[in-house]
Amino acid sequence: VDLGARVMATVNAEANELDLDDLLALAAAFTAVRGEGGEDAAAARAHTTVTISAPRARIAGAPAARFEASLLAEGTDLRVEPLRFDVFGGRYDGWLDASFGPELDVRLGVGVANLDVAQLVAYGGSATALTGRLYGTGRFGARGRDLADVLAAARGVGEISLAGGTLPSSDVLRVVLRFMGRPAPSGPSSAGEVYTSMAASFALADRAVRSDDLTVRTPEFDVFARGTLTLPTRTLDAHADLVISERLSAQ
């Protein structure tokens, strides 16, 4: 710590386990949070750099590993970059800006790679068997009294893509053949359709996710869809165009 006209501090920390809430609490300790009498003048001039790592972590309740972050605190403002950790079998690499005061104001940049979709949907409480690997980017922002309020009020935009998985119990081919007046395949209903890719851009607001360009490609059909997913109720309102393969069209 350099106790000059402006306090300059450097902190290196290691933890055996860390929660993201703990990280924000640690960061808040190095910022000049405004009180009724205004922010402390000395704290407002402080410049603090913190690097922290942990082999295990919890992010919004999900288990994570290989956590690492670099924090820069100046006055009431905080910058976290990079913010990296392993989660759901893949890697998160992003950044976070926060301002501490009567409310927590957060801006977040997200980058995820090679996430296991099956683990992700299971964590979200879904009983479906969607599989594959997920990649995505996004930018989000929100404010609230604590991290839970911030997550509930988040708004932003992003892009995602999935590859090499299955759609659970969609049974699109059986439905299409019946609609065209053709006999459905014999035997029990399929466990799902194999897809080669899924991709979409989306907007998040008011706890709902909307996309106007969801594309699903499989060996026998393509789907071009738009719709809204309401997160609290997991209600999906969607409209789609279905394009079937030449082989099916020939039937």
Side-chain angles (χ1 to χ4, degrees):
V1 180
D2 181 0
L3 300 176
R6 186 184 193 193
V7 176
M8 306 289 289
T10 301
V11 180
N12 297 313
E14 294 183 6
N16 55 4
E17 188 164 4
L18 185 73
D19 191 287
L20 186 58
D21 287 342
D22 299 334
L23 177 65
L24 291 177
L26 175 65
F30 293 101
T31 61
V33 178
R34 293 183 180 89
E36 292 183 0
E39 64 187 49
D40 178 76
R45 292 194 301 270
H47 177 106
T48 307
T49 302
V50 182
T51 59
I52 188 166
S53 61
R56 298 182 306 278
R58 296 197 71 81
I59 311 298
R66 292 200 303 148
F67 182 97
E68 56 182 290
S70 295
L71 291 69
L72 173 62
E74 290 188 287
T76 60
D77 297 326
L78 170 73
R79 175 79 175 182
V80 184
E81 187 177 14
L83 175 59
R84 302 186 181 116
F85 48 85
D86 293 343
V87 65
F88 301 126
R91 187 69 171 166
Y92 176 102
D93 190 345
W95 54 266
L96 181 150
D97 285 340
S99 294
F100 295 89
E103 286 190 315
L104 178 63
D105 189 354
V106 176
R107 294 162 299 282
L108 183 68
V110 176
V112 295
N114 203 35
L115 267 61
D116 184 339
V117 177
Q119 292 185 40
L120 180 62
V121 296
Y123 169 75
S126 174
T128 62
L130 180 67
T131 65
R133 310 303 293 193
L134 183 147
Y135 300 79
T137 60
R139 296 173 65 90
F140 308 95
R143 62 170 47 193
R145 293 172 298 176
D146 52 32
L147 187 58
D149 285 349
V150 167
L151 291 174
R155 305 174 68 90
V157 295
E159 297 179 347
I160 61 169
S161 63
L162 290 77
T166 57
L167 298 167
S169 304
S170 58
D171 211 12
V172 171
L173 293 183
R174 184 181 295 265
V175 173
V176 169
L177 290 173
R178 285 175 176 167
F179 178 79
M180 295 190 299
R182 302 296 182 182
S186 59
S189 177
S190 69
E193 311 283 359
V194 174
Y195 69 87
T196 55
S197 67
M198 297 175 61
S201 60
F202 65 89
L204 169 65
D206 301 324
R207 306 191 73 178
V209 180
R210 177 170 180 81
S211 176
D212 293 321
D213 60 359
L214 172 63
T215 302
V216 182
R217 299 192 182 276
T218 81
E220 294 288 18
F221 62 87
D222 294 335
V223 175
F224 304 96
R226 60 193 182 280
T228 300
L229 174 64
T230 303
L231 297 177
T233 61
R234 299 174 189 159
T235 302
L236 177 64
D237 179 13
H239 303 269
D241 294 326
L242 177 70
V243 181
I244 61 176
S245 67
E246 291 185 8
R247 186 185 72 82
L248 282 183
S249 297
Q251 298 179 20

